[in-house]
Amino acid sequence: DAFGCSAGKAFKVWLLTRGVPHRALAFGRGHGVNWLYGDRMDGDTTLVVGFGWPVDGFDPSDHADLERALHHFFPDAELLQHTTHDWLTDAASLGTWVNPMAGQSDRLTPQTWAPTGRLAFATSDFAREHAGWYEGALVSGADAARAVLDRLS
């Protein structure tokens, strides 16, 4: 692509579970979900964040598929609820996070995407802190808003 980047093809799921330890990290060759993290605990439930790549026979919005994936890493865990969003078919994104082409990691620096005139970009992909995470999106959004407001005043 002209910018030296392409859209990612992974998915992210949030699983409300029982029986997954807080801060547990599991990764490997699961079917569908390949990375799980016990992010937050509330009483006896743990919010687990998971990532994976599209594979035939796995639907990241299907309870049974997610339960099988969860049990691959945590056999005794219980899947209570789950949610995801299909960014790959979302017309506003057509993919997940940005991936620079080999040798072009400089394409995702805050300096490369600095505000120009009245135009400011905001995304976790090139945030000056916490790039790639939700917190990075907040930092980048706040920076872009400040830049626009500074230019308007």
Side-chain angles (χ1 to χ4, degrees), residues 16-20 40-47 80:
L16 184 61
T17 66
R18 190 173 287 121
V20 175
R40 297 187 184 119
M41 194 159 201
D42 184 12
D44 68 342
T45 63
T46 304
L47 177 64
L80 305 172

Side-chain angles (χ1 to χ4, degrees), residues 37-63:
Y37 175 66
D39 189 51
R40 297 187 184 119
M41 194 159 201
D42 184 12
D44 68 342
T45 63
T46 304
L47 177 64
V48 174
V49 179
F51 294 91
W53 294 269
V55 294
D56 290 337
F58 181 83
D59 177 355
S61 66
D62 182 80
H63 188 91

Side-chain angles (χ1 to χ4, degrees), residues 15 24-27 33-38 48-51 69-70 73-74:
L15 312 173
L25 176 62
F27 56 94
V33 178
N34 301 91
W35 187 96
L36 294 168
Y37 175 66
V48 174
V49 179
F51 294 91
L70 177 66
F73 296 103
F74 301 99

Side-chain angles (χ1 to χ4, degrees), residues 84-106:
T84 190
H85 180 77
D86 187 355
W87 294 104
L88 304 182
T89 61
D90 186 312
S93 67
L94 296 178
T96 56
W97 51 84
V98 174
N99 293 307
M101 302 295 186
Q104 302 202 14
S105 60
D106 61 327

